[in-house]
Amino acid sequence: MTAAPDPETRARFDAAPWDRIARDAMGPAGTVPTMLSEAEQRLYFWLARDWAQGAGAIVDLGCFAGGSTARLAEGRRQAGHAPHVHAYDRFTASDRLKARLLYPAGIAPFDGQDILPLARRLLAPWDGLVRLHPGEIEDDLWTGQPIEVLTIDAAKSAGAADAIAGLFFPSLIPGASVVVQQDYFHWRQPWVAAQMERLAECFVPLAVCPGATAVFLCTRAPDAATLARAACDGLPDAGLLADLDAARRRMARFGRDARFARMRAAIAANPGERVAWRFRKP
Ligand SMILES: C[S@@+](CC[C@H](N)C(=O)[O-])C[C@H]1O[C@@H](n2cnc3c(N)ncnc32)[C@H](O)[C@@H]1O
C-alpha cells in the first residue's frame, strides 16, 4: 500500500520555495565548499529553516568538508531549533579532489588526506549545533533519537544503501520527516531508486532537484522486517530493472524518464555491479 502527502504538503513542495531564497540568506554557510548544486544548497537550507519544526535531529550522511552540513546548520540556527545536526563522513580527500574542489574555493593547499581538521574549522560558526561522526557510516550506531531531516550522499554501494536504511530509517517521524536522496537519479547508483521503490509503502516523493536529488516524505517508519524485504544488495539485475521501471512510473510527474533510461543502460553495461565507482559509462 502506498500513501500520499496531504494536499498542503504537496502544494508546498510543488512551489519549490527554496528556488527563491537569496544566496546571502545562507550567511557564512554559503562560503563553505560543497559539491551540491546551487538548487540543492537552497533546498538543504530551506528544509532546515522552513520545513523542519525542531522535532528531531538533522542527519547529513556524506558531508565531505562540511558544505551540506553548513547549509543545514545555518537553517537550523535561523529557525532557532535545538536538536543537533549530525554529520557523517570518512573526512578524507585525495590530492585530486583537494585540487578540484577545495583550493579553487579558497582553501590553502595542505598535505595529507585528512580533512577532519578542515571540516571542524569550516563548521566552527555552528560549533554548538553540529556533531561530527568521523569514520565509516556503517560502523556507527544511531541513538534512536527521532530524525527530522535525513540527507544521504553516501549510498555508494547497494550494501551501503541497505546499511544506511537499517541504521537511520527506523528513527524517521511518520508524516513529518523528509529523506533527501542526493544520488537518486545518478546512473552509477541505480539501487537508490530501487530501494525507495521497494519502500514505497513508507515514502512518497515530494520533489526533485538538479543534480540528481529526490526528496521523500516518510509516511511510515520502516521496521526491520520491511527493511529486510526492501534490501537491494543481492538483488539480481532483473529485479533491479523491475524496481527502476516502477520507480519511473511513480516519478513520472517530475519528467525524469531520460535519467531512468540512463540507469537502465548502466545496469546493462555493468551486469551484477553494485559499487558506484566501478561502474563504466553506458
Ligand atoms: C559526494 S560527497 C558529499 C558532498 C557533500 N555533501 C558536500 O556538500 O560537499 C560524498 C561523501 O560521502 C563520503 N562517504 C561515502 N561513503 C561513505 C561511508 N560509507 N562512510 C563514511 N563516509 C562516506 C565520502 O567520504 C564523501 O565525502
Short mmCIF file of all heavy atoms in Angstrom, two decimals, residues 47 148-152 169 172 177-181 196 203 214-218:
data_model
loop_
_atom_site.label_atom_id
_atom_site.label_comp_id
_atom_site.label_asym_id
_atom_site.label_seq_id
_atom_site.Cartn_x
_atom_site.Cartn_y
_atom_site.Cartn_z
N LEU A 47 14.95 23.30 3.91
CA LEU A 47 14.42 22.19 4.72
C LEU A 47 14.71 22.41 6.20
O LEU A 47 13.86 22.15 7.05
CB LEU A 47 15.05 20.86 4.26
CG LEU A 47 14.53 20.31 2.93
CD1 LEU A 47 15.37 19.11 2.49
CD2 LEU A 47 13.05 19.90 3.03
N GLU A 148 14.50 14.25 11.82
CA GLU A 148 13.51 15.05 11.10
C GLU A 148 13.90 15.27 9.64
O GLU A 148 13.04 15.30 8.75
CB GLU A 148 13.39 16.41 11.81
CG GLU A 148 12.16 17.18 11.48
CD GLU A 148 12.04 18.41 12.37
OE1 GLU A 148 13.03 18.80 13.01
OE2 GLU A 148 10.93 18.99 12.41
N VAL A 149 15.19 15.46 9.40
CA VAL A 149 15.70 15.63 8.03
C VAL A 149 16.90 14.70 7.90
O VAL A 149 17.84 14.77 8.69
CB VAL A 149 16.13 17.08 7.75
CG1 VAL A 149 16.72 17.19 6.34
CG2 VAL A 149 14.96 18.05 7.90
N LEU A 150 16.85 13.81 6.90
CA LEU A 150 17.95 12.87 6.66
C LEU A 150 18.42 13.07 5.23
O LEU A 150 17.66 12.84 4.29
CB LEU A 150 17.45 11.43 6.85
CG LEU A 150 18.44 10.30 6.55
CD1 LEU A 150 19.66 10.36 7.48
CD2 LEU A 150 17.75 8.94 6.69
N THR A 151 19.66 13.55 5.07
CA THR A 151 20.21 13.75 3.73
C THR A 151 21.26 12.67 3.47
O THR A 151 22.13 12.43 4.32
CB THR A 151 20.84 15.15 3.59
OG1 THR A 151 21.88 15.29 4.55
CG2 THR A 151 19.80 16.24 3.84
N ILE A 152 21.16 12.03 2.32
CA ILE A 152 22.01 10.86 2.04
C ILE A 152 22.81 11.09 0.77
O ILE A 152 22.25 11.21 -0.32
CB ILE A 152 21.15 9.58 1.90
CG1 ILE A 152 20.27 9.38 3.13
CG2 ILE A 152 22.06 8.37 1.67
CD1 ILE A 152 19.31 8.21 3.02
N PHE A 169 16.55 4.81 9.03
CA PHE A 169 15.14 4.94 8.65
C PHE A 169 14.17 4.64 9.81
O PHE A 169 13.11 5.28 9.90
CB PHE A 169 14.81 4.05 7.44
CG PHE A 169 15.32 4.58 6.11
CD1 PHE A 169 16.12 5.71 6.03
CD2 PHE A 169 15.00 3.93 4.93
CE1 PHE A 169 16.59 6.18 4.81
CE2 PHE A 169 15.45 4.40 3.70
CZ PHE A 169 16.25 5.52 3.64
N LEU A 172 12.86 7.78 11.66
CA LEU A 172 12.12 8.85 10.98
C LEU A 172 10.74 9.02 11.61
O LEU A 172 10.17 8.06 12.16
CB LEU A 172 11.99 8.52 9.48
CG LEU A 172 13.33 8.44 8.72
CD1 LEU A 172 13.12 7.85 7.33
CD2 LEU A 172 13.99 9.81 8.64
N SER A 177 8.99 13.66 8.71
CA SER A 177 10.40 13.60 8.31
C SER A 177 10.55 13.54 6.80
O SER A 177 9.75 12.90 6.11
CB SER A 177 11.07 12.34 8.90
OG SER A 177 11.09 12.42 10.29
N VAL A 178 11.61 14.17 6.31
CA VAL A 178 11.94 14.04 4.90
C VAL A 178 13.31 13.37 4.76
O VAL A 178 14.20 13.54 5.59
CB VAL A 178 11.96 15.40 4.16
CG1 VAL A 178 10.56 15.97 4.02
CG2 VAL A 178 12.89 16.39 4.82
N VAL A 179 13.41 12.60 3.68
CA VAL A 179 14.68 11.98 3.29
C VAL A 179 15.09 12.58 1.96
O VAL A 179 14.30 12.59 1.01
CB VAL A 179 14.54 10.44 3.17
CG1 VAL A 179 15.80 9.83 2.58
CG2 VAL A 179 14.23 9.83 4.52
N VAL A 180 16.30 13.10 1.91
CA VAL A 180 16.85 13.63 0.66
C VAL A 180 17.83 12.59 0.12
O VAL A 180 18.86 12.33 0.74
CB VAL A 180 17.58 14.97 0.91
CG1 VAL A 180 18.16 15.50 -0.40
CG2 VAL A 180 16.65 15.99 1.53
N GLN A 181 17.47 11.99 -0.99
CA GLN A 181 18.37 11.03 -1.65
C GLN A 181 19.11 11.80 -2.72
O GLN A 181 18.61 12.03 -3.80
CB GLN A 181 17.57 9.86 -2.26
CG GLN A 181 17.01 8.88 -1.25
CD GLN A 181 18.08 7.92 -0.69
OE1 GLN A 181 19.27 8.09 -0.93
NE2 GLN A 181 17.64 6.92 0.05
N MET A 196 14.09 2.99 -2.81
CA MET A 196 12.94 3.81 -2.43
C MET A 196 11.65 3.22 -3.01
O MET A 196 10.57 3.36 -2.41
CB MET A 196 13.13 5.26 -2.88
CG MET A 196 14.31 5.97 -2.20
SD MET A 196 14.39 5.78 -0.39
CE MET A 196 13.16 6.96 0.15
N PHE A 203 7.34 5.70 1.98
CA PHE A 203 7.82 7.01 1.50
C PHE A 203 7.02 7.45 0.27
O PHE A 203 6.71 6.62 -0.58
CB PHE A 203 9.30 6.94 1.09
CG PHE A 203 10.23 6.65 2.23
CD1 PHE A 203 10.71 5.36 2.45
CD2 PHE A 203 10.63 7.67 3.09
CE1 PHE A 203 11.56 5.09 3.51
CE2 PHE A 203 11.49 7.40 4.14
CZ PHE A 203 11.95 6.11 4.36
N ALA A 214 16.30 13.59 -5.15
CA ALA A 214 14.86 13.44 -4.95
C ALA A 214 14.57 13.52 -3.46
O ALA A 214 15.35 13.02 -2.63
CB ALA A 214 14.36 12.13 -5.53
N VAL A 215 13.45 14.15 -3.11
CA VAL A 215 13.06 14.34 -1.71
C VAL A 215 11.81 13.51 -1.44
O VAL A 215 10.86 13.53 -2.23
CB VAL A 215 12.73 15.83 -1.43
CG1 VAL A 215 12.45 16.03 0.05
CG2 VAL A 215 13.85 16.73 -1.90
N PHE A 216 11.80 12.80 -0.31
CA PHE A 216 10.69 11.93 0.05
C PHE A 216 10.16 12.30 1.43
O PHE A 216 10.93 12.61 2.34
CB PHE A 216 11.14 10.47 0.08
CG PHE A 216 11.50 9.93 -1.27
CD1 PHE A 216 12.77 10.16 -1.79
CD2 PHE A 216 10.59 9.22 -2.03
CE1 PHE A 216 13.11 9.68 -3.06
CE2 PHE A 216 10.92 8.75 -3.29
CZ PHE A 216 12.18 8.98 -3.81
N LEU A 217 8.83 12.22 1.57
CA LEU A 217 8.21 12.31 2.89
C LEU A 217 8.08 10.90 3.44
O LEU A 217 7.64 9.98 2.73
CB LEU A 217 6.82 12.95 2.76
CG LEU A 217 6.02 13.05 4.06
CD1 LEU A 217 6.60 14.12 4.98
CD2 LEU A 217 4.54 13.38 3.74
N CYS A 218 8.45 10.73 4.70
CA CYS A 218 8.24 9.43 5.35
C CYS A 218 6.80 9.37 5.84
O CYS A 218 6.35 10.23 6.57
CB CYS A 218 9.20 9.29 6.53
SG CYS A 218 8.88 7.80 7.51
#
